[in-house]
Amino acid sequence: MDRVGGITMVMMVIIMASGTLAADSEERLVRMLFNESAYNSGVRPAQTPSEVISVKVTLVISQIIGVVEKEEVMRTNVWVQQEWTDPRLRWNKEDYDHIDLIRVPAEAVWLPDIMLFNNKDGQYDVALYTKALVYDSGYVYWLPPAIFTSECSINVRHFPFDKQNCTMEFGSWTYNKREVDLQQGGISRDDFKESGEWAILQIPDRKIETDDNVFIAYDFMLARKPLFYIVNMIVPIILLTLLSILVFYLPVDCGEKVGLCINILLALVVFLLLIADIIPSTSLDIPLIGRYLMFTMIFVTIVTVMSVYVGNVHFRSAATHVMSPWIRYIFLGLLPRLMKMSPPGEEPEEEEDSAPTWDAVEMRKRDGVVQNGKASPGRPPVPPRADLPQLAPDLRDAAGNVQLITGHFKDQDDDSAVMCTAVLYSIVYTPITGHFKDKDDDSAVSDEWKFMAALVDRICLWLFSIILLVGTVVMFAEPWYEDSFR
């Protein structure tokens, strides 16, 4: 046991000594690189004034935080990976216990000053200056994190089924292309977190060169996930518009047709205000959902106008309107046959004869209602109707005159009875028949107007249903057959 303990102690001492020696070697290396050699981080690491320093830029995407349509900006969480070679930071690792990598503060080495040029919030630089990795060959690797807010021109034409192209443009803020040349390193999504609203289609990178500068641009091609807007905006709008069609199924006598249309129109205005708070205030184009809302508002407005017209037609009478021959031909002759409706005065054909069958007569005989073709004397009398219409004042006067005349000629001869009949016909029958004839004529005219209103309701129900279906399909299918969208 003593031998084992001694060996353990020796190994621990050796390890501590080697760690101390390694720390001493790294300290000597850092002192040699930055103190003894008089390293200046503000000087470009070029061996000749005409040498161009090549810097490789790679964008490591961590998260798409969001795209704010109202402000036309995109917020991203990225790491800007930068790689270059600094000859002044080379060393022989054999002289420093085989140390081939050191980590130094980013402020201590030369940096190419890579900035986001199309920044929108004033934060052009990275968020945190992390340490840079320096290798024995002079290769420098720096991976600082950053949260950028970049410009993003929003195309609202297909909102909420839109696709956006947001560009991040990086370049050296201090050096031109004759001093620093940026190389494309592509993108990396090793640590990427999916967004709940946006899906990344692709992110191509491209190199842009001007007369003096060089830039690396990353085009974020994003597609919106529209489920939230479908559930909370599109489906309620479609259901409200479908509800407006049921106005034509609602009876005119209920008096709520126009009120229902106005309430639906106000609800659509509320949705229009919600959309105005989301999309940017631009006059370049109208968003898809905005166009559909305008379509539904015009649709409901026309439905309201038609409901007012149907109500006007329904309550017309012979005293206020006269139906012209062409209206009578179209709405009482032609259209009813097309819509399978029977105009007033035309009863539908009965499939079976309404005359009582032999079995029905036998059953009624057994019940004592019919005996030898005559009503049974034991049948209870029919009670008088209490809902008979009251006579008009002129008819009541005529009935009073009848009682006076019949009382006067009650005991007279046959000639007097004939005279009584003639007088009764002139003063009673003629006014009564004329009254009921006029009443029947007025009722027939009112029934024709009411039938015309019902016919217009039926036609509008089918016509507006087809218009709504076709309009909805055409408008929401537009993004998928446009070449610019695909």
Side-chain angles (χ1 to χ4, degrees), residues 59-261:
L59 194 66
V60 181
I61 304 170
S62 177
Q63 185 182 11
I64 302 293
I65 299 176
V67 177
V68 184
E69 294 88 351
K70 196 73 175 177
E71 300 177 4
E72 295 191 90
V73 297
M74 178 183 67
R75 301 189 70 238
T76 52
N77 182 6
V78 298
W79 302 338
V80 185
Q81 177 179 314
Q82 305 171 37
E83 305 169 63
W84 67 93
T85 300
D86 191 341
R88 296 174 298 174
L89 298 178
R90 294 174 178 168
W91 72 89
N92 187 4
K93 61 182 180 180
E94 303 294 338
D95 298 336
Y96 299 94
D97 294 329
H98 299 279
I99 297 177
D100 60 353
L101 170 64
I102 59 173
R103 296 164 179 85
V104 297
E107 295 85 352
V109 299
W110 175 85
L111 298 176
D113 287 341
I114 303 298
M115 305 287 181
L116 177 67
F117 271 66
N118 60 334
N119 187 277
K120 199 67 180 286
D121 65 347
Q123 183 66 34
Y124 292 87
D125 204 353
V126 296
L128 178 64
Y129 271 65
T130 59
K131 289 186 177 182
L133 305 182
V134 181
Y135 291 84
D136 59 340
S137 60
Y139 170 77
V140 182
Y141 177 89
W142 188 39
L143 184 64
I147 296 179
F148 288 124
T149 301
S150 57
E151 297 178 356
C152 181
S153 180
I154 301 297
N155 183 6
V156 300
R157 177 170 178 79
H158 301 300
F159 177 84
F161 303 98
D162 53 332
K163 296 179 181 178
Q164 305 297 337
N165 186 358
C166 301
T167 301
M168 298 180 69
E169 189 173 298
F170 293 92
S172 177
W173 191 267
T174 306
Y175 303 99
N176 57 33
K177 70 177 184 180
R178 289 178 293 274
E179 297 172 327
V180 171
D181 182 29
L182 301 183
Q183 302 295 327
Q184 299 171 244
I187 63 165
S188 175
R189 285 195 275 182
D190 295 338
D191 194 36
F192 178 71
K193 302 176 183 62
E194 288 288 343
S195 172
E197 186 178 1
W198 296 93
I200 297 179
L201 301 179
Q202 56 180 332
I203 309 177
D205 59 334
R206 51 196 173 91
K207 186 175 181 179
I208 304 174
E209 293 190 23
T210 62
D211 294 338
D212 294 326
N213 300 310
V214 59
F215 303 97
I216 301 296
Y218 298 90
D219 297 321
F220 285 72
M221 297 184 180
L222 309 175
R224 188 189 303 272
K225 300 176 181 178
L227 181 61
F228 174 82
Y229 297 96
I230 291 175
V231 173
N232 293 281
M233 298 188 71
I234 296 178
V235 171
I237 292 173
I238 295 177
L239 292 179
L240 283 173
T241 312
L242 286 174
L243 195 62
S244 67
I245 297 179
L246 295 181
V247 169
F248 297 116
Y249 195 74
L250 202 64
V252 180
D253 294 327
C254 72
E256 297 294 335
K257 294 169 74 74
V258 177
L260 179 60
C261 292

